[in-house]
Amino acid sequence: MWNLSHKGELESHREETFIDDIIQKSYIERKLLENLDGIHTVFDGGAGCGRFSILLAKHGCKVTHFDISQPMIDKAKELAEKANVLDRITFVRGALEDLNNYSDRSFDMVISFDAPISYTYPNQENVIRDLVRIGKKE
């Protein structure tokens, strides 16, 4: 379902419909912004339509927006362009199970919400270990 052509458009409007998304994402957004001191590079794994990638780019971070779904990436690019942060985001299509192109401690911050559990079963432990590996802090 994640690769349906209209998936990016649907996901970009979830917060207009689902109260759990409104509350959860507002909380995550607040916590991210509280913890940006010294953060210059961010890996957003399973980044979807870009809510957090775009937010962090607006606050000066260079973001690697990583997602398996081309429709989600396409929507994220559209939203990043509207937000005037396209130049601060690198869009990468790939599976979280394969982060071999990233060396240890490559990013100041690594975020990944829901995707390691929802989309990588039964490999979620290895995926989480790899996400920790590419972050500078453990």
Side-chain angles (χ1 to χ4, degrees), residues 17-34:
T17 309
F18 299 102
I19 191 69
D20 59 327
D21 279 340
I22 295 167
I23 294 168
Q24 178 187 33
K25 289 184 179 177
S26 291
Y27 176 80
I28 292 169
E29 182 176 294
R30 190 171 59 252
K31 288 299 178 184
L32 284 173
L33 295 178
E34 289 172 3

Side-chain angles (χ1 to χ4, degrees), residues 44-85:
D44 187 355
C49 58
R51 161 121 190 206
F52 300 119
S53 294
I54 293 167
L55 170 74
L56 294 168
K58 283 181 179 180
H59 283 84
C61 297
K62 291 291 281 179
V63 180
T64 297
H65 176 106
F66 190 93
D67 203 277
I68 197 168
S69 169
Q70 191 60 52
M72 297 292 266
I73 291 171
D74 293 343
K75 185 62 178 181
K77 284 182 182 178
E78 175 190 322
L79 295 172
E81 185 171 23
K82 285 181 185 175
N84 213 20
V85 295

Side-chain angles (χ1 to χ4, degrees), residues 7-24:
K7 183 68 171 164
E9 185 63 32
L10 288 174
E11 286 296 313
S12 70
H13 295 286
R14 282 187 62 88
E15 293 168 55
E16 297 168 9
T17 309
F18 299 102
I19 191 69
D20 59 327
D21 279 340
I22 295 167
I23 294 168
Q24 178 187 33

